[in-house]
Amino acid sequence: MNNLNSLNFSGGPGALPESVLLQAQQAILAVPEVGLSVLGISHRSDWFAAVVAETENNIRTLLGLGSRYHVLLLQGGATQQFAMVPMTLLRGKQSPAQYLHTGYWSGKALPEAQLQGPVEVIWHGGACDFKRLPDDDELSFSATAPYLHYVSNETVEGLQFKRLLGRDDVPRVCDMSSDFLSQPCAAERFLLIYAHAQKNIGPSGVTVVLLHEDVLNLVPADLPCFLDYRKQALAHSNLNTPPVFAIYVTLLVTRWLLQDIGGLRNMADINQQKAALLYQTLDSSEGFYQGRAAHQDRSLMNVVFNLGNLELEKKFLAQAQRAGFSGLAGHRAIGGIRASIYNALKLSAVESLASFMQEFQQQARNC
Ligand SMILES: *Cc1c(COP(=O)(O)O)cnc(C)c1O
């Protein structure tokens, strides 16, 4: 069978390493050390407790995360975190939480927060069509905000912060769903980080939450247990039946990051090379391919661009599909083309795409 996984540029769920897919395939029949299908092993088994413990440990090792942080594996995706964060940190507050509205996903977090308490949007990228991110001198961080919330990588628009935002005396909360574990990050400078697995580190169904222990004392008493970080932490991500398969595959990806890639610095180097190659292809196309994001804010994960007109974009996508590339259509909210080049996508796949783009351009010029 022709393996098209290697050219999967999907925005999410994203590509996973082939070695992980092979192990997952094996595990569906039987996990070697247990002799049972991963789909039928009890979440109360010793084996699963060890899976959770190793996944947590691997994430700690990869990020250099200390013991004052909990690593939770929750359900409900990033969308549930949009609500759980303000339920925990914003209810009953007088001072508004500060939010940046830098694109599609940070926009989705806002109404969920507004249901729980006062929110100040300190930057709105709508005026520039979400084509760039703010500089520090455009932002005014309050000392009294309960927290600052932002999205490190705007997956739809292809914008990524290259710096830490905010002030050290106000807790930072960050949605890192689409660039988590793609590069080192100063995890301990955040109160809370959340990232669902399905862009960079696993299948859908599990969401990683890194939580400073102080958060546990802030949880209101009247939350349903499922939405209560404290109860989730006490239960070691096993409050109710967790997504065993999704967590197992996420474990395999963290092993791959540690053992095959050799850590986040190496991962970042590879991701830099992949992104540089695609952006170079855009920049040397004499305007044939138009990158969407301002240069300084270009995402290393999602390369978003347009061609001269809709018809040409359709032709590009159809021809790319025939050549074996998949997942290149832009997000339905903005159209265009988006090449998502998450961790598992190899440099060789990006090289193939860059060549395809050059050939397509040549062809279009000749007719
Ligand atoms: C995809 C995405 C989401 C949506 O996550 P769900 O798990 O579908 O709720 C949220 N934030 C970012 C940055 C994303 O890329």
Side-chain angles (χ1 to χ4, degrees):
M1 195 180 72
N2 198 359
N3 187 354
L4 296 177
N5 282 318
S6 61
L7 296 177
N8 182 6
F9 289 81
S10 169
L16 290 172
E18 190 176 44
S19 62
V20 167
L21 294 176
L22 288 168
Q23 292 173 77
Q25 179 189 40
Q26 164 72 56
I28 284 185
L29 287 174
V31 174
E33 63 271 25
V34 182
L36 290 171
S37 165
V38 63
L39 303 181
I41 300 180
S42 168
H43 60 294
R44 301 293 176 198
S45 63
D46 291 345
W47 174 79
F48 185 65
V51 165
V52 169
E54 188 187 342
T55 308
E56 286 187 23
N57 259 334
N58 287 355
I59 291 171
R60 280 183 200 283
T61 305
L62 285 162
L63 290 170
L65 194 67
S67 60
R68 300 196 67 192
Y69 282 78
H70 293 270
V71 178
L72 305 185
L73 307 171
L74 303 184
Q75 299 182 65
T79 300
Q80 180 161 299
Q81 295 309 306
F82 293 163
M84 258 172 102
V85 165
M87 278 178 164
T88 307
L89 300 174
L90 190 54
R91 277 194 180 181
K93 293 286 188 301
Q94 298 302 315
S95 246
Q98 295 195 309
Y99 274 67
L100 275 79
H101 188 172
T102 48
Y104 183 84
W105 285 117
S106 52
K108 294 280 183 194
L110 278 172
E112 299 295 303
Q114 284 155 345
L115 286 175
Q116 304 299 331
V119 170
E120 182 196 1
V121 177
I122 57 168
W123 200 74
H124 195 303
C128 55
D129 209 13
F130 300 111
K131 288 184 171 165
R132 72 173 183 90
L133 296 172
D135 298 325
D136 267 346
D137 54 20
E138 293 172 283
L139 298 171
S140 131
F141 299 113
S142 153
T144 56
Y147 63 94
L148 168 76
H149 179 277
Y150 66 100
V151 173
S152 55
N153 182 69
E154 286 284 5
T155 323
V156 172
E157 292 83 1
L159 299 164
Q160 186 175 31
F161 280 106
K162 306 286 158 61
R163 67 184 192 282
L164 189 73
L165 293 192
R167 38 194 297 161
D168 284 334
D169 57 349
V170 173
R172 299 180 177 90
V173 176
C174 194
D175 175 0
M176 295 194 186
S177 289
S178 54
D179 63 358
F180 189 59
L181 303 186
S182 69
Q183 58 186 10
C185 86
E188 294 201 347
R189 299 189 66 187
F190 295 83
L191 182 77
L192 192 156
I193 291 171
Y194 59 95
H196 59 205
Q198 71 263 26
K199 304 275 159 67
N200 243 332
I201 60 159
S204 61
V206 60
T207 299
V208 178
V209 178
L210 310 182
L211 196 70
H212 191 279
E213 60 187 7
D214 286 353
V215 176
L216 302 191
N217 302 322
L218 303 172
V219 179
D222 60 345
L223 292 185
C225 64
F226 200 71
L227 304 178
D228 182 328
Y229 288 120
R230 217 175 97 77
K231 291 186 176 139
Q232 293 281 7
L234 287 173
H236 293 284
S237 306
N238 215 337
L239 183 78
N240 68 327
T241 315
V244 171
F245 179 67
I247 292 174
Y248 180 65
V249 177
T250 302
L251 166 63
L252 298 176
V253 173
T254 60
R255 280 186 190 157
W256 171 82
L257 279 168
L258 281 166
Q259 293 161 17
D260 297 33
I261 298 297
L264 296 188
R265 223 159 263 298
N266 290 356
M267 192 70 257
D269 283 346
I270 298 169
N271 286 331
Q272 292 272 4
Q273 285 177 52
K274 293 185 309 194
L277 180 56
L278 281 189
Y279 286 121
Q280 236 163 52
T281 307
L282 305 185
D283 291 344
S284 59
S285 74
E286 292 167 345
F288 184 79
Y289 298 111
Q290 296 142 23
R292 181 185 164 85
H295 282 234
Q296 71 277 8
D297 303 320
R298 284 172 156 181
S299 167
L300 299 184
M301 296 282 105
N302 311 95
V303 178
V304 180
F305 57 95
N306 288 96
L307 279 76
N309 57 62
L310 270 180
E311 207 166 311
L312 200 56
E313 287 180 349
K314 262 197 195 151
K315 205 169 143 189
F316 177 90
L317 287 172
Q319 208 157 309
Q321 187 86 48
R322 282 199 294 279
F325 300 97
S326 69
L328 284 171
H331 189 273
R332 61 199 152 78
I334 61 168
I337 318 290
R338 173 175 59 172
S340 297
I341 49 177
Y342 299 127
N343 284 352
L345 203 94
K346 288 189 170 152
L347 179 60
S348 58
V350 175
E351 286 166 350
S352 302
L353 179 61
S355 307
F356 169 83
M357 288 170 67
Q358 282 155 6
E359 281 159 32
F360 183 85
Q361 180 180 357
Q362 206 71 44
Q363 224 182 65
R365 286 267 150 90
N366 292 342
C367 64

